[in-house]
């Protein structure tokens, strides 16, 4: 311990013994930050106190003096616990930095460009509840008249979910020029996941393909949330459901494929359970709640609709998402 | 060696004897109260590990002199099971005492030099040195 610190301590103690005033205590506490900053262990502080008091009081009873040795012994483990704590904090900071890098990498790796398609307005959002997003949106512009999209949700969270997500992406990338139908894509990704991912990792995925020439939307689902279809003529919502197991459950799983035709101002809403299972103080929301929100903004463009839903639903959760939130809207404009 | 000696660890009471020996040696070498307590704590942890995990072993305490520097070397050796994953054991937060800062990383912090030689099925020798400043 620096000699200067020792002298100052003794001086402050002396003053306090005389005044017993609050001011000295206040200054003492300010001074104690010095100890912490200079990484002076609690046992050293006691030892300093012992030396100081021995010098300040001539006829200090020897038992009192010796009792500080006992206190020093008591403090050794406190000192160790403090050092361990400090080292664990540094470790945690290092882990946090790694995590930030991983998040940035994931974002770069998984970024997808919103396609420009004649007559189709596309809006979407995907927000993680924690650092790593377990939801994923993927667009693929196969030809000028066809656009594919996948919305996936990894059952499982954090880092490992993110790593598996990358695999799913590269699986879909590899099908780029093959013009596969939605059910074929799901079968392919399912086989890939089944082979290579641990037993406890499953993925739900909604895969759709819109054809501008016929204005049809073909879709298949692997255990994913049903999508919503809004029919402007009937002013009504329908569920777009399609049978299929989660990806990674069974190698030979089959995926049903369905089609819906879009008229002008019709739109399709694809989401993950972070949207449909929004939890509020009063429990889970119902699907018709989402339908009502959508109706309020149905004449806006797709991105404005998406943003509105996100703002409303995140406000209802006090801006603390419980689950990753992903929403895609495809709207036929002409 | 001028002084210094060793203690066999067989029962929990031998841990106390090892501590006592360590404290005396530390005092004689010229360590202050705080360092005496640190050295004793390190001996205590090492002796306790011998008692708990190897059953029996020896704690040796001897003064050293290297040029101008004087210090104390503690050697804890046993022919017990050895330590399987030394890297884990030296990680903070791994000990069964969890979060109390004790254990092997604690011993390392209390002393200036710290070395472990261990082989599974053969035994463990830990050498730790504290220098007078
Ligand atoms: N002398 C030894 N022989 C065999 N194993 C040991 C020995 N010393 C320590 N270990 C192993 O290292 C682990 C960590 O020891 P330590 O850091 O002292 O923490 P704790 O004793 O609280 O578990 C022990 O649980 C034990 O498995
Ligand atoms: Mg131990």
């Amino acid at each position: 311990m620096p000699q200067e610190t020792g002298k100052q301590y003794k001086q402050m103690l002396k003053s306090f013994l005389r005044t017993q005033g609050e001011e000295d205590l206040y200054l003492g506490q300010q001074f104690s930050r010095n100890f912490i900053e200079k990484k002076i262990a609690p046992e050293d502080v006691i030892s300093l106190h012992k030396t100081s008091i021995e010098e300040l009081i001539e006829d200090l009873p020897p038992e009192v003096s010796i009792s500080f040795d006992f206190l020093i012994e008591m403090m050794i483990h406190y000192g160790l616990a403090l050092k361990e704590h400090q080292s664990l904090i540094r470790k945690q900071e290092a882990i946090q930095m790694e995590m930030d890098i991983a998040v940035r990498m994931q974002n770069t790796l998984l970024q997808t460009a919103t396609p420009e398609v004649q007559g189709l307005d596309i809006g979407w959002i995907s927000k993680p509840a924690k650092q790593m997003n377990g939801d994923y949106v993927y667009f693929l512009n196969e030809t000028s008249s066809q656009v594919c999209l996948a919305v996936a949700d990894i059952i499982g969270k954090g880092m490992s979910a993110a790593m598996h997500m990358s695999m799913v992406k590269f699986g879909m990338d590899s099908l780029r020029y093959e013009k596969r139908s939605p059910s074929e894509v799901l079968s392919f990704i399912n086989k890939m996941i089944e082979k290579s991912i641990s037993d406890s990792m499953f993925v739900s995925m909604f895969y759709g393909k819109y054809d501008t020439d016929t204005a049809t939307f073909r879709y298949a689902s692997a255990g994913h949330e049903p999508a919503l279809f809004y029919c402007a003529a009937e002013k009504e919502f329908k569920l777009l459901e399609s049978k299929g197991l989660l990806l990674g459950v069974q190698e030979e799983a089959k995926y049903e494929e369905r089609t819906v035709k879009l008229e002008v101002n019709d739109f399709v809403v694809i989401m993950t359970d972070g949207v449909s299972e929004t939890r509020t103080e009063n429990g889970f929301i119902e699907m018709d709640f989402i339908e009502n929100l959508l109706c309020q903004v149905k004449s806006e463009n797709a991105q404005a609709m998406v943003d509105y839903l996100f703002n409303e639903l995140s406000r209802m959760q006090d801006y603390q998402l419980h689950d990753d939130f992903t929403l895609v809207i495809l709207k036929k404009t002409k | 060696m001028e002084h210094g000696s060793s203690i066999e660890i067989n029962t929990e009471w031998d841990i106390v004897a090892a501590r006592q020996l360590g404290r005396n040696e530390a005092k004689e070498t010229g360590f202050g109260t705080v360092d005496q307590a640190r050295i004793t704590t390190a001996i205590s942890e090492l002796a306790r590990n011998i008692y708990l995990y190897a059953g029996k072993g020896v704690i040796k305490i001897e003064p050293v002199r290297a040029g101008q520097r004087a210090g104390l070397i503690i050697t804890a050796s046993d022919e017990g099971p050895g330590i399987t994953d030394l890297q884990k054991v030296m990680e903070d937060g791994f000990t069964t005492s969890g979060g109390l800062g004790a254990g092997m990383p604690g011993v390392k912090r209390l002393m200036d030099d710290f070395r472990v030689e261990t082989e599974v099925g053969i035994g463990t020798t830990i050498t730790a040195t504290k220098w007078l400043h």
Side-chain angles (χ1 to χ4, degrees):
Chain A
M1 166 160 358
Q3 246 183 352
E4 197 48 39
T5 314
K7 261 193 206 145
Q8 275 173 291
Y9 183 85
K10 187 177 152 191
Q11 212 50 50
M12 296 179 82
L13 180 62
K14 188 179 173 186
S15 167
F16 175 67
L17 289 176
R18 205 179 50 238
T19 66
Q20 290 176 40
E22 195 57 41
E23 188 186 338
D24 284 319
L25 288 179
Y26 173 70
L27 293 173
Q29 270 199 350
Q30 295 298 316
F31 190 68
S32 74
R33 294 168 175 226
N34 263 315
F35 291 143
I36 298 169
E37 259 168 40
K38 291 182 182 143
K39 299 201 164 69
I40 292 167
E43 62 267 26
D44 285 314
V45 179
I46 312 272
S47 168
L48 174 59
H49 183 81
K50 180 190 177 196
T51 320
S52 306
I53 202 85
E54 283 171 352
E55 287 170 13
L56 289 171
I57 302 178
E58 273 167 33
D59 49 358
L60 189 75
E63 289 90 347
V64 173
S65 192
I66 293 168
S67 80
F68 286 115
D69 293 343
F70 192 75
L71 193 52
I72 285 171
E73 202 71 23
M74 295 284 100
M75 283 303 125
I76 297 283
H77 279 286
Y78 273 97
L80 284 176
L82 179 68
K83 287 220 177 77
E84 182 185 66
H85 178 77
Q86 288 163 337
S87 119
L88 287 174
I89 284 179
R90 279 194 299 277
K91 232 187 198 172
Q92 199 214 335
E93 285 167 353
I95 292 171
Q96 185 60 50
M97 258 172 63
E98 296 251 324
M99 193 76 175
D100 291 346
I101 293 171
V103 169
R104 256 180 284 140
M105 251 184 70
Q106 189 204 17
N107 290 340
T108 315
L109 210 62
L110 299 185
Q111 61 183 269
T112 187
T114 316
E116 299 280 339
V117 192
Q118 277 286 320
L120 191 72
D121 180 19
I122 302 175
W124 65 282
I125 195 169
S126 186
K127 290 263 187 212
K130 302 232 174 66
Q131 292 179 319
M132 285 283 189
N133 199 343
D135 286 356
Y136 180 45
V137 176
Y138 176 89
F139 289 108
L140 186 61
N141 227 353
E142 274 190 325
T143 65
S144 60
S145 65
Q146 279 188 330
V147 59
C148 303
L149 100 147
V151 172
D153 182 357
I154 300 249
I155 323 275
K157 291 232 163 357
M159 198 73 109
S160 64
M163 285 160 74
H164 289 120
M165 194 68 83
S166 312
M167 193 174 101
V168 170
K169 176 205 155 64
F170 292 119
M172 288 189 294
D173 278 346
S174 71
L175 296 180
R176 175 148 226 144
Y177 301 107
E178 300 198 4
K179 299 200 178 141
R180 306 266 195 123
S181 72
S183 67
E184 284 171 344
V185 173
L186 290 183
S187 294
F188 176 84
I189 304 288
N190 176 53
K191 286 204 179 72
M192 193 182 81
I193 291 180
E194 224 281 317
K195 281 209 191 72
S196 48
I197 293 187
S198 65
D199 285 346
S200 54
M201 183 62 74
F202 304 112
V203 180
S204 80
M205 187 188 283
F206 188 96
Y207 198 95
K209 191 175 210 168
Y210 181 77
D211 189 317
T212 53
D213 296 337
T214 58
T216 51
F217 183 68
R218 276 205 285 168
Y219 60 95
S221 167
H224 198 83
E225 287 294 297
L228 280 175
F229 168 66
Y230 180 73
C231 174
E234 293 172 27
K235 292 194 168 62
E236 240 179 40
F237 282 97
K238 289 177 189 137
L239 283 182
L240 300 186
E241 287 175 296
S242 169
K243 287 199 195 72
L245 284 175
L246 289 171
L247 303 173
V249 176
Q250 195 194 85
E251 198 185 341
E252 292 305 324
K254 290 273 175 283
Y255 298 94
E256 181 192 9
E257 195 169 294
R258 293 186 170 195
T259 311
V260 64
K261 191 162 162 48
L262 272 71
E263 303 297 339
V264 172
N265 290 331
D266 286 358
F267 58 84
V268 175
V269 184
I270 301 132
M271 62 196 106
T272 56
D273 54 12
V275 180
S276 55
E277 289 173 10
T278 296
R279 223 178 314 156
T280 69
E281 274 177 357
N282 311 317
F284 290 108
I285 58 164
E286 301 286 335
M287 198 53 110
D288 57 5
F289 186 85
I290 293 177
E291 291 174 6
N292 279 333
L293 287 177
L294 286 165
C295 268
Q296 289 167 25
V297 286
K298 64 175 189 292
S299 49
E300 310 261 343
N301 67 42
Q303 191 59 49
M305 293 173 74
V306 165
D307 293 341
Y308 176 75
L309 249 77
F310 175 72
N311 286 333
E312 287 299 302
L313 293 176
S314 75
R315 187 175 51 80
M316 287 175 61
Q317 309 174 58
D318 295 324
Y319 303 101
Q320 303 267 295
L321 295 182
H322 294 292
D323 197 357
D324 304 332
F325 186 107
T326 296
L327 186 67
V328 180
I329 294 182
L330 310 176
K331 189 175 185 183
K332 183 170 164 57
T333 52
K334 62 176 188 225
Chain B
M1 294 298 124
E2 319 117 60
H3 43 97
S5 42
S6 55
I7 294 254
E8 275 186 37
I9 306 294
N10 292 304
T11 71
E12 197 163 7
W13 304 118
D14 296 330
I15 301 172
V16 177
R19 287 178 61 112
Q20 184 64 68
L21 179 68
R23 199 178 298 272
N24 294 344
E25 292 289 337
K27 205 178 283 182
E28 211 159 316
T29 311
F31 285 103
T33 324
V34 174
D35 277 340
Q36 285 173 35
R38 288 187 177 130
I39 291 165
T40 306
T41 306
I43 291 171
S44 198
E45 291 286 316
L46 295 176
R48 210 178 146 69
N49 279 357
I50 290 178
Y51 168 70
L52 287 176
Y53 308 119
K56 59 187 170 61
V58 178
I59 297 273
K60 197 166 77 182
I61 297 156
E62 47 189 347
V64 271
R65 192 164 275 287
Q68 298 283 35
R69 292 203 297 180
L72 207 60
I73 299 187
I74 303 162
T75 313
S77 49
D78 63 64
E79 294 174 3
I83 299 171
T84 328
D85 193 344
L86 190 57
Q87 197 172 337
K88 270 255 149 64
V89 166
M90 293 312 296
E91 256 173 43
D92 279 321
F94 180 78
T95 83
T96 44
S97 75
L100 295 182
M104 302 265 275
V107 174
K108 186 170 182 219
R109 287 203 172 95
L110 290 165
M111 304 296 282
D112 295 320
D113 297 334
F114 180 82
R115 203 168 61 224
V116 184
E117 279 161 68
T118 184
E119 205 170 323
V120 173
I122 307 283
T124 304
T125 299
I126 295 168
T127 318
T129 311
K130 187 91 183 160
W131 297 106
L132 261 177
H133 295 289

